[in-house]
Amino acid sequence: MSEMVRWTIMEAADKIRSRSVSPVELVNAYLSAIERIDSRLKSFITVTGDLALERARAAEKEIAGGLYKGPLHGIPIAVKDIIDTAGVRTTGGSKILADNVPAADARVWQQLREAGCLLIGKTNLHEFARGSTTDNPHYGRCRNPWDIDGSRIAGGSSGGSGAAVAACLCAGALGTDTLGSVRKPSSRCGIVGIKPTYNLVSRVGVIPLSWSLDNVGPMTKTVSDAAEMLACMVEPSMKERLAGTGPFLSESFSVNGKRLGLVNGWWDARCDSEVRAAFDKAIGVLSDLGAAIREVDFPHMARFFAAGRVLAISEATAVHHSRIRRNLDQYGKDVRNALLSGFTVSAKDYLHCLRLRAWGVRQVRELFSRIDAIVCPSTVEPAMKIEEVHGPASLDMAFYTAPAAFLGIPAISVPCGFSSYGIPIGLQIMTPHFRDDLALNIAAAFESATDWHGMRPPVCE
Amino acid sequence: MNMKAFIKQELERAELSVDEDILEQLVPMCLRWQEYIRETREIDPGDVEPAFDLFRS
């Protein structure tokens, strides 16, 4: 595999800017890698090779002519196939939308495209983003690149994006996160993924799952790549809510003295011994960097997880009501069953959870007056085998990720180790609303003190 | 009313009809929703209004 595909976005950007490599060469390298691996990995639903090459040639001309747009110019990006791309089919991972070709780009993809990103393809996902395995009955079971011939899940619902970035089939990717669908596959595939503050990034042109919980987030090899993509993705009308006006990452940032909270009774309530061991070491690294690790009482997280699940299924059922009446037999079994079961949740219970959310936002603001960030594992276990995932058991996979979505706060997953069977594990960092910069800076400090982010699965060799 | 009958009733209200086999498959998931709902009821949010706008809370 060409060394080029192993570059981070920022490394590739340097080469493109200095014209030591052209976007056309970069796209060709990724297309060769996709050709070699993806029939096994199943991370893409549609590969847009011709389109990517056409846009790469245009980018090459622009750059040669002195019109360099910035670090994302000429960078091949994969987009989860639930985000509209003009002229390129957007299936939502569903058979029902197999021929759906949007006329316009989703707002977020338009922003990235205008910054110079090239669409290399649309990635596989759990059908309609409602699930955590990316075992898609219509477009194939996405494999975990660290276990490509085994049955460990890539995670989901943005499993294709996670697998494609980890296997070096694109420079970065877009995912969507309702209760953890960016962070869980990022953790399981050994990459970085951030769920931004709710509404910081536009959802216009993204097929909804749950209006009040859906977010679009970048998935990348490094924190600086994620920061670069996210800076471009911020909805212009939301910029004034952010803490600063400059780039998300600050060279002068230090973790020294930052108060990182371990929520008593929650952070270690569900994680297995493999995750626990990696997380303990990660906390040791942060402590060595000068962070003040504090145990804090905040006895609500497990209930926020439960309330997030109730909100998500209620809204997903409402989103799909008409479609499932018309096309019941076109849904895969697990998504069909989940959506049908959602009809048993009452409006009264949904509203109780929305009230709990308003209450929870007040509580977490108070918590953040005492600490700078909450740290916890990204997932309960590194990655289950697909045959171990049955019905309701998969719901609990979001135990550590759902609370941030429920509260609308930013949360990032960054690689922090490996299981004894070679599957990556992630550290999750959550910060106050609109302090996405703080989550990114803490993650960057952790990343620079460790080597996990530089490891690639054997399939990339 | 047992869970299966309850599910059937709610699906009919939503103008959906499914066979017995599917109804049977829905029971474990519906029981899990009830469990989650019970957990959420352990917190009384007082007079707080629903978070229709998250950042006005």
Side-chain angles (χ1 to χ4, degrees):
Chain A
M1 192 179 272
S2 163
E3 185 59 26
M4 275 188 271
V5 299
R6 298 169 72 95
W7 291 340
T8 66
I9 290 175
M10 300 312 280
E11 286 169 342
D14 273 349
K15 309 275 187 190
I16 288 174
R17 187 180 42 77
S18 63
R19 296 175 62 197
S20 57
V21 75
S22 84
V24 175
E25 289 173 280
L26 198 56
V27 167
N28 275 322
Y30 282 119
L31 291 176
S32 296
I34 292 169
E35 174 73 24
R36 191 166 78 78
I37 295 174
D38 208 53
S39 59
R40 287 157 70 204
L41 191 63
K42 304 277 186 208
S43 66
F44 282 91
I45 289 177
T46 304
V47 177
T48 51
D50 290 344
L51 177 68
L53 282 169
E54 182 192 317
R55 296 280 162 85
R57 283 190 282 269
E60 194 175 62
K61 263 190 193 167
E62 288 165 352
I63 295 163
L67 183 67
Y68 180 65
K69 294 178 179 175
L72 296 177
H73 200 171
I75 300 293
I77 296 291
V79 174
K80 185 178 182 179
D81 204 22
I82 201 161
I83 299 171
D84 281 354
T85 41
V88 177
R89 73 171 180 161
T90 301
T91 68
S94 156
K95 193 160 122 184
I96 302 164
L97 299 180
D99 300 317
N100 171 48
V101 179
D105 286 323
R107 172 79 187 127
V108 63
W109 176 242
Q110 184 193 342
Q111 289 170 266
L112 286 167
R113 196 173 44 69
E114 285 171 359
C117 289
L118 313 172
L119 180 68
I120 191 108
K122 303 298 292 287
T123 53
N124 200 356
L125 65 152
H126 207 108
E127 184 179 11
F128 283 123
R130 217 240 60 93
S132 297
T133 64
T134 313
D135 183 8
N136 188 304
H138 317 297
Y139 301 101
R141 174 185 296 172
C142 179
R143 308 281 173 166
N144 189 311
W146 294 90
D147 187 35
I148 192 164
D149 295 318
S151 65
R152 301 269 173 200
I153 59 171
S157 61
S158 312
S161 293
V165 172
C168 300
L169 306 188
C170 56
L174 284 182
T176 61
D177 188 310
T178 301
L179 292 176
S181 288
V182 160
R183 292 161 285 156
K184 287 179 289 159
S186 294
S187 172
R188 298 189 203 289
C189 293
I191 63 166
V192 173
I194 181 167
K195 181 206 87 66
T197 298
Y198 178 70
N199 264 351
L200 187 67
V201 174
S202 168
R203 287 175 280 113
V204 172
V206 180
I207 298 171
L209 176 66
S210 168
W211 306 284
S212 75
L213 294 164
D214 292 346
N215 299 271
V216 184
M219 300 169 75
T220 56
K221 295 187 186 90
T222 64
V223 176
S224 58
D225 285 1
E228 191 64 38
M229 282 184 72
L230 184 59
C232 175
M233 292 160 62
V234 173
E235 172 62 23
S237 63
M238 298 299 281
K239 277 187 180 159
E240 64 187 32
R241 308 288 295 265
L242 292 168
T245 52
F248 282 120
L249 290 183
S250 162
E251 281 182 18
S252 62
F253 179 84
S254 169
V255 170
N256 191 27
K258 290 284 177 290
R259 301 158 300 170
L260 307 184
L262 293 170
V263 175
N264 281 326
W266 178 68
W267 73 268
D268 59 348
R270 296 272 179 94
C271 60
D272 74 7
S273 58
E274 302 261 1
V275 170
R276 169 75 193 248
F279 181 73
D280 283 344
K281 283 184 188 157
I283 290 301
V285 170
L286 289 165
S287 181
D288 290 345
L289 290 170
I293 310 295
R294 295 187 177 176
E295 294 196 5
V296 290
D297 290 327
F298 191 68
H300 318 302
M301 291 299 237
R303 285 160 193 133
F304 292 162
F305 155 71
R309 290 253 60 130
V310 174
L311 285 187
I313 193 60
S314 304
E315 294 185 15
T317 296
V319 165
H320 283 273
H321 191 171
S322 305
R323 190 179 278 142
I324 204 166
R325 271 167 53 195
R326 291 194 307 270
N327 307 286
L328 184 65
D329 59 349
Q330 305 277 300
Y331 284 79
K333 182 179 162 186
D334 73 315
V335 175
R336 177 201 68 196
N337 286 356
L339 293 172
L340 289 176
S341 71
F343 284 99
T344 63
V345 178
S346 73
K348 183 165 54 68
D349 289 320
Y350 172 76
L351 284 167
H352 174 73
C353 291
L354 269 189
R355 292 176 64 227
L356 199 53
R357 193 179 201 192
W359 180 87
V361 166
R362 292 181 187 178
Q363 302 300 314
V364 84
R365 282 183 186 150
E366 191 283 323
L367 177 65
F368 281 129
S369 70
R370 293 184 276 136
I371 56 172
D372 296 296
I374 300 167
V375 286
C376 68
S378 299
T379 59
V380 170
E381 27 60 46
M384 290 168 87
K385 293 179 178 174
I386 188 67
E387 58 271 21
E388 295 168 347
V389 183
H390 302 292
S394 65
L395 299 173
D396 289 342
M397 288 181 185
F399 183 74
Y400 290 117
T401 50
F406 180 71
L407 297 165
I409 56 177
I412 189 168
S413 179
V414 60
C416 75
F418 281 83
S419 70
S420 57
Y421 44 87
I423 296 292
I425 294 169
L427 161 72
Q428 188 179 201
I429 301 157
M430 298 176 239
T431 51
H433 295 121
F434 300 106
R435 292 306 312 274
D436 305 63
D437 63 315
L438 182 57
L440 285 158
N441 275 295
I442 295 171
F446 176 80
E447 183 183 82
S448 65
T450 57
D451 295 325
W452 306 115
H453 62 283
M455 303 185 80
R456 298 283 166 261
V459 73
C460 295
E461 282 160 13
Chain B
M1 190 188 298
N2 70 27
M3 182 53 87
K4 218 159 79 174
F6 171 64
I7 298 168
K8 191 165 184 238
Q9 173 193 286
E10 294 305 305
L11 290 177
E12 280 170 359
R13 271 160 44 95
E15 297 176 51
L16 281 156
S17 120
V18 298
D19 61 33
E20 277 295 309
D21 181 42
I22 294 180
L23 267 184
E24 199 70 58
Q25 293 170 37
L26 301 184
V27 172
M29 198 69 102
C30 293
L31 288 171
R32 184 58 69 96
W33 301 134
Q34 296 308 315
E35 200 178 301
Y36 289 146
I37 288 165
R38 267 196 301 278
E39 285 181 45
T40 69
R41 287 177 183 160
E42 289 168 8
I43 297 180
D44 176 4
D47 59 358
V48 174
E49 288 187 16
F52 294 121
D53 178 349
L54 196 60
F55 303 118
R56 277 188 59 226
S57 310

